[in-house]
């Protein structure tokens, strides 16, 4: 025991030194490893959020484009169907008119057959006086002229009917083509929305939080450009600092009131409400009060640009649109996952009026 004890004490200083060194190394490792791992995780989550934001922005651009294409295709399809139906209506009218002319010409033919017809010689020989002859000849000429007119009218109607049938076929083909284009745009949009949903679903909680921070920073940058956009639309006389237009419920009449009532509604591609909107669907509803599409960004870009932006006007560029509510702000269906919000007028937009 004594020998064991002696040996134990003999090696204690060496062990202590080793233990001390190990403790220092371990503490250093513990001090460094967590911070290094945390830094890598934060960087990865930040990169994940930035990549997600870039993908979502790109997909939103695609959705905006598809929404415009879809709306234009539907409008063209509706116009073609109206033209097709108008052609069919005219064909039906022509058919009735031709049938009436055929009845009248048939009656004339039967009358001529029963009477054996009246010739110039018979009129001459049967006339008791020159006046009687002139009257009878004039009546014959009028009858013949009327018959000729009915024949010519029938011919013209048949030609018009053929033209209307050709128009019907052409418009029906356009309607079918536009319907196919709208269906294709809708299918692409649904695939894009599904892909966007997958991005959200696959994000970690931390990355999702960072994504929203990135979006907030992006919105702040857009807000910094909003006054310049409105100033450019309004002209050199516009003073952004003096624009204290009240952004309050009711300003701008029914248009802005309806826009405020939609706040919080989800973004739904192709939506015109009441349960969801895309950007042009929201503007259409706010302007008309009806859940039908008034137009797309392409439509609105063709409206008159104003030099005195007022609540109820439309802020628009080729890819996005919203209802201007004053102070450089608009209510718009922002994008998937955000919905209808108040935000700044975006770079590249003009202010137009319905």
């Amino acid at each position: 025991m004594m020998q064991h004890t002696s040996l134990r004490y003999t090696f204690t200083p060496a062990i202590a030194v080793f233990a001390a060194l190990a403790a220092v190394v371990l503490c250093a490792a513990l001090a460094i490893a967590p911070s290094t791992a945390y830094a890598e995780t934060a960087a990865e989550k930040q990169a994940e959020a930035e990549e997600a934001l870039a993908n979502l922005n790109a997909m939103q651009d695609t959705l905006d484009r598809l929404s415009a294409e879809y709306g234009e295709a539907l409008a063209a399809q509706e116009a073609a169907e109206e033209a097709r139906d108008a052609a069919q209506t005219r064909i039906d009218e022509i058919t009735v008119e031709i049938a009436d002319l055929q009845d009248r010409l048939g009656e004339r033919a039967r009358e001529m057959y029963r009477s054996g017809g009246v010739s110039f010689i018979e009129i001459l020989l049967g006339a008791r006086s020159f006046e009687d002859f002139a009257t009878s000849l004039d009546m014959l000429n009028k009858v013949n002229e009327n018959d000729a007119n009915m024949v010519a009218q029938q011919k013209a109607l048949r030609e018009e009917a053929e033209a209307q049938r050709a128009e019907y076929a052409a418009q029906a083909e356009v309607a079918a083509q536009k319907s196919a284009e709208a269906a294709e745009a809708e299918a692409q949009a649904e695939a894009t929305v599904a892909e966007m949903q997958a991005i959200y679903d696959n994000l970690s909680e931390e990355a999702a939080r960072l994504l929203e921070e990135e979006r907030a920073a992006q919105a702040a940058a857009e807000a910094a450009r909003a006054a310049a956009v409105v100033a450019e639309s309004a002209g050199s006389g516009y003073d952004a600092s003096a624009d204290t237009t009240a952004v309050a419920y009711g300003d701008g009449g029914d248009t802005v009131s309806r826009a405020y009532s939609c706040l919080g509604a989800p973004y739904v591609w192709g939506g015109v409400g009441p349960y969801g909107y895309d950007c042009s669907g929201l503007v259409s509803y706010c302007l008309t009060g009806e859940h039908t599409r008034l137009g797309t960004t392409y439509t609105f870009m063709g409206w008159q640009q104003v030099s005195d932006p007022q609540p109820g006007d439309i802020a628009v560029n080729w890819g996005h649109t919203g209802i201007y509510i004053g102070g450089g702000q608009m209510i718009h269906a922002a994008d998937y996952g955000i919905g209808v919000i108040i935000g700044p007028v975006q770079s590249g937009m003009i202010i137009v009026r319905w």
Side-chain angles (χ1 to χ4, degrees):
M1 290 289 294
M2 291 298 293
Q3 184 180 15
H4 179 68
T5 303
S6 174
L7 287 173
R8 179 182 175 190
Y9 281 100
T10 302
F11 286 96
T12 297
I15 293 173
V17 171
F18 176 78
L21 290 172
V24 171
V25 173
L26 180 60
C27 288
L30 290 173
I32 296 172
S35 61
T36 302
Y38 179 82
E40 290 174 354
T41 301
E44 289 172 356
K45 298 305 180 185
Q46 186 67 45
E48 183 182 357
E50 291 175 356
E51 181 181 4
L53 180 61
N55 288 335
L56 289 170
N57 285 343
M59 290 177 189
Q60 187 59 48
D61 290 342
T62 299
L63 274 181
D64 289 340
R65 175 180 58 79
L66 289 173
S67 181
E69 291 177 0
Y70 179 75
E72 292 297 317
L74 287 182
Q77 177 187 351
E78 183 178 353
E81 289 174 346
E82 289 177 356
R84 178 201 63 193
D85 294 344
Q88 183 59 57
T89 298
R90 182 56 186 149
I91 289 171
D92 295 341
E93 294 173 351
I94 289 171
T95 300
V96 173
E97 292 179 38
I98 289 176
D100 179 62
L101 285 171
Q102 286 177 330
D103 289 344
R104 290 161 61 189
L105 285 170
E107 183 62 28
R108 281 289 299 127
R110 287 189 290 274
E111 287 178 1
M112 292 178 68
Y113 177 79
R114 286 194 296 268
S115 64
V118 181
S119 67
F120 175 82
I121 298 298
E122 289 172 325
I123 290 176
L124 179 62
L125 295 177
R128 292 185 298 273
S129 66
F130 179 77
E131 288 78 8
D132 188 20
F133 167 73
T135 300
S136 299
L137 181 61
D138 183 56
M139 291 179 61
L140 178 62
N141 287 336
K142 287 181 178 179
V143 167
N144 289 336
E145 182 180 353
N146 186 53
D147 290 347
N149 286 339
M150 284 194 293
V151 171
Q153 186 178 358
Q154 187 181 52
K155 179 182 178 182
L157 286 172
R158 291 185 184 279
E159 291 175 351
E160 184 184 353
E162 288 302 315
Q164 291 293 338
R165 290 189 185 96
E167 176 68 10
Y168 178 94
Q171 294 300 331
E173 183 177 353
V174 170
Q177 177 186 348
K178 295 304 179 182
S179 177
E181 290 177 4
E184 181 180 359
E186 185 175 22
Q188 291 180 11
E190 289 174 352
T192 302
V193 168
E195 191 173 354
M196 295 174 83
Q197 183 65 59
I199 288 176
Y200 279 106
D201 292 343
N202 292 330
L203 281 177
S204 65
E205 183 177 347
E206 177 66 13
R209 183 185 65 79
L210 292 170
L211 170 63
E212 293 311 315
E213 289 180 359
E214 290 285 339
R215 277 182 158 176
Q218 190 176 60
E222 290 175 353
R225 296 191 294 266
V229 172
V230 178
E232 181 179 354
S233 177
S236 58
Y238 178 80
D239 181 1
S241 62
D243 186 351
T244 57
T245 305
V247 184
Y249 189 92
D251 286 349
D254 293 338
T255 297
V256 173
S257 296
R258 283 190 284 264
Y260 271 93
S261 72
C262 293
L263 286 174
Y267 180 97
V268 175
W269 184 86
V272 291
Y275 304 113
Y277 302 87
D278 63 14
C279 64
S280 58
L282 175 68
V283 169
S284 296
Y285 166 67
C286 292
L287 292 175
T288 66
E290 299 178 358
H291 296 294
T292 57
R293 191 172 299 279
L294 179 63
T296 67
T297 54
Y298 290 88
T299 308
F300 307 151
M301 284 293 288
W303 291 356
Q304 180 182 2
Q305 185 174 351
V306 298
S307 59
D308 58 337
Q310 300 294 320
D313 288 339
I314 302 95
V316 62
N317 58 27
W318 292 110
H320 196 55
T321 187
I323 296 296
Y324 183 66
I325 58 173
Q329 300 289 300
M330 66 178 179
I331 293 177
H332 61 124
D335 56 24
Y336 187 79
I338 293 182
V340 180
I341 60 171
I342 295 176
V345 174
Q346 297 175 3
S347 178
M349 283 186 162
I350 59 174
I351 310 296
V352 300
R353 187 165 295 157
W354 187 30

